Coordinates of all heavy atoms in Angstrom, one line a residue:
R13 N 5.1 -12.1 -5.9 CA 3.8 -11.5 -6.3 C 3.2 -12.3 -7.4 O 4.0 -12.8 -8.3 CB 4.1 -10.0 -6.7 CG 2.9 -9.3 -7.2 CD 3.1 -7.8 -7.4 NE 3.2 -7.1 -6.1 CZ 3.0 -5.7 -6.1 NH1 2.8 -5.0 -7.2 NH2 3.0 -5.1 -4.9
H200 N 9.4 1.0 -4.5 CA 8.8 -0.2 -5.2 C 8.6 0.2 -6.7 O 9.0 -0.4 -7.7 CB 7.6 -0.6 -4.6 CG 6.9 -1.9 -5.2 ND1 6.8 -3.0 -4.5 CD2 6.4 -2.0 -6.4 CE1 6.2 -3.9 -5.3 NE2 5.9 -3.3 -6.4
E201 N 7.9 1.4 -6.9 CA 7.5 1.8 -8.2 C 8.8 2.3 -9.0 O 8.9 2.0 -10.2 CB 6.5 3.0 -8.2 CG 5.2 2.6 -7.6 CD 4.6 1.3 -8.2 OE1 4.8 1.0 -9.4 OE2 3.9 0.5 -7.4
H204 N 10.4 -0.6 -10.5 CA 9.7 -1.1 -11.8 C 10.1 -0.3 -13.0 O 9.9 -0.8 -14.1 CB 8.2 -0.9 -11.6 CG 7.5 -2.0 -10.9 ND1 7.8 -3.3 -11.2 CD2 6.6 -2.0 -9.9 CE1 7.0 -4.1 -10.4 NE2 6.3 -3.3 -9.6
H210 N 7.9 -8.7 -11.2 CA 8.3 -8.9 -9.8 C 9.2 -10.1 -9.7 O 9.1 -11.0 -8.9 CB 7.0 -9.2 -9.0 CG 6.2 -7.9 -8.8 ND1 5.1 -7.8 -9.6 CD2 6.3 -6.8 -8.1 CE1 4.5 -6.6 -9.3 NE2 5.3 -6.0 -8.4
F214 N 14.1 -7.7 -9.7 CA 13.2 -6.6 -9.2 C 13.4 -6.4 -7.7 O 13.7 -5.3 -7.2 CB 11.8 -6.8 -9.6 CG 10.8 -5.8 -8.9 CD1 10.7 -4.5 -9.3 CD2 10.2 -6.3 -7.8 CE1 9.9 -3.7 -8.6 CE2 9.3 -5.4 -7.1 CZ 9.2 -4.1 -7.5
Ligands
LIG301 ZN1 5.1 -3.9 -8.1

Side-chain angles (χ1 to χ4, degrees):
R13 181 171 277 202
H200 183 117
E201 296 310 327
H204 276 314
H210 292 99
F214 164 82

